[in-house]
Amino acid sequence: MDLSPATALLCFTFVDEIQDDKLLVEYENLLPAEELDRLGKFRFTEHRKRYLVGRALLRTTLAKYVGIGPDLITFSRGSHGRPFLPQSQHSGNLQFSLSYTDGLVAVAMISDKQIGSDIEHTGRQIDCLDIAHSYFTREEYQELKSLSEPRRRIRFFEFWTQKEAYVKARGLGLHLALDEVNFASSDTAKGPPLIFKKDSRYWQFRLLNPSVTHKAAVCIGAASKREIRIDYKKTVPLIGEDPLIIPME
């Protein structure tokens, strides 16, 4: 199968919906030794399952486009640790981003463009203002400070997911600060995506609500302002997928 540069794919798997132990064993059989080793190091069952389902989702989604079995896929890493497919496994420039949070994993993919995604559970107990003061722009911090709960918490995760998606799309890891981009007063949850130009590329952002307790964001870097379409899927690895209609706010 081919993936168009004009269309991105975003697949979600709701971890708690997978209760078949035999299916989880099949997922383990897809993983190489190094991933199985990491799997065995998780202390808590829910973290172990989330990692397992995430790796299975990534491998089975990629397998549809690279033409080999999900258990045969190997990854290389860039200078800042970002994983990518070696050319020997795919002739095109297939880019992907894997995200985990409580109860949900997601994989974003596109051809010939940079892509990053992030998902967060909005019920996490955090000090929004303390984090924003340390890592966000002054404008974002002031906007959050002006809001009352629960809007402040929702807005915090709108900022956070977009920033993380941008960092992942750039592929620079900790070398890129979260305050490099500013989303204060931007209404990215409505209408066309937010697009801004930085370092000779146009960065497109979409905010999503995959569930009532989750926020998600996708960032795509392209050479032009042309809006990129995103197809959303609800996926159970090795079982099937269905189109997913996601409210933008």
Side-chain angles (χ1 to χ4, degrees):
M1 295 178 64
D2 293 324
L3 196 64
S4 167
T7 303
L9 175 67
L10 183 55
C11 296
F12 293 97
T13 299
F14 293 87
V15 179
D16 295 338
E17 293 182 3
I18 300 176
Q19 299 295 331
D20 186 343
D21 289 340
K22 291 182 179 179
L23 184 58
L24 294 174
V25 171
E26 291 188 55
Y27 292 167
E28 289 192 31
N29 291 336
L30 300 178
L31 273 54
E34 60 269 24
E35 291 180 17
L36 288 172
D37 181 62
R38 184 175 179 187
L39 179 68
K41 292 179 180 179
F42 286 100
R43 288 185 57 195
F44 299 105
T45 302
E46 61 267 30
H47 296 164
R48 185 178 188 275
K49 182 179 179 182
R50 183 175 65 192
Y51 175 80
L52 175 61
V53 173
R55 300 311 297 182
L57 176 63
L58 177 61
R59 287 179 168 276
T60 55
T61 305
L62 286 172
K64 296 176 184 178
Y65 298 95
V66 300
I68 61 176
D71 57 323
L72 300 177
I73 291 173
T74 61
F75 299 99
S76 298
R77 289 192 177 272
S79 58
H80 299 290
R82 179 181 179 136
F84 64 91
L85 291 175
Q87 283 296 111
S88 60
Q89 292 193 12
H90 187 59
S91 58
N93 183 21
L94 186 63
Q95 301 292 313
F96 60 89
S97 177
L98 172 64
S99 302
Y100 302 86
T101 193
D102 292 345
L104 185 66
V105 294
V107 168
M109 291 174 48
I110 197 169
S111 179
D112 293 324
K113 291 179 175 64
Q114 292 167 270
I115 192 167
S117 65
D118 187 56
I119 52 176
E120 299 290 340
H121 193 289
T122 58
R124 286 198 295 139
Q125 296 303 309
I126 57 173
D127 188 328
C128 297
L129 288 181
D130 184 59
I131 295 174
H133 186 266
S134 298
Y135 297 105
F136 289 6
T137 66
R138 181 168 173 257
E139 293 81 4
E140 290 166 338
Y141 173 75
Q142 291 299 328
E143 182 175 333
L144 290 175
K145 193 175 180 180
S146 71
L147 300 173
S148 59
E149 290 286 354
R151 181 54 188 157
R152 175 185 293 164
R153 170 176 287 271
I154 296 302
R155 192 62 172 144
F156 170 86
F157 282 110
E158 289 176 352
F159 288 159
W160 183 270
T161 53
Q162 289 179 105
K163 288 174 177 291
E164 286 290 329
Y166 175 70
V167 169
K168 291 179 181 180
R170 292 293 303 271
L172 299 178
L174 296 176
H175 293 269
L176 192 67
L178 291 179
D179 63 358
E180 181 169 312
V181 286
N182 177 39
F183 295 99
S185 302
S186 62
D187 202 1
T188 45
K190 297 179 181 178
L194 169 69
I195 300 177
F196 69 81
K197 188 175 184 180
K198 192 173 183 65
D199 297 334
S200 300
R201 296 190 73 77
Y202 292 93
W203 300 95
Q204 175 185 139
F205 294 84
R206 277 289 190 187
L207 270 174
L208 312 162
N209 293 318
S211 82
V212 295
T213 56
H214 293 97
K215 278 285 180 185
V218 182
C219 173
I220 301 170
S224 74
K225 288 184 177 180
R226 183 179 179 182
E227 183 176 336
I228 306 300
R229 173 183 166 184
I230 304 176
D231 288 340
Y232 307 103
K233 304 287 185 180
K234 181 179 179 182
T235 305
V236 178
L238 297 180
I239 299 298
E241 64 182 22
D242 294 297
L244 182 63
I245 299 175
I246 300 180
M248 296 298 166
E249 64 166 358

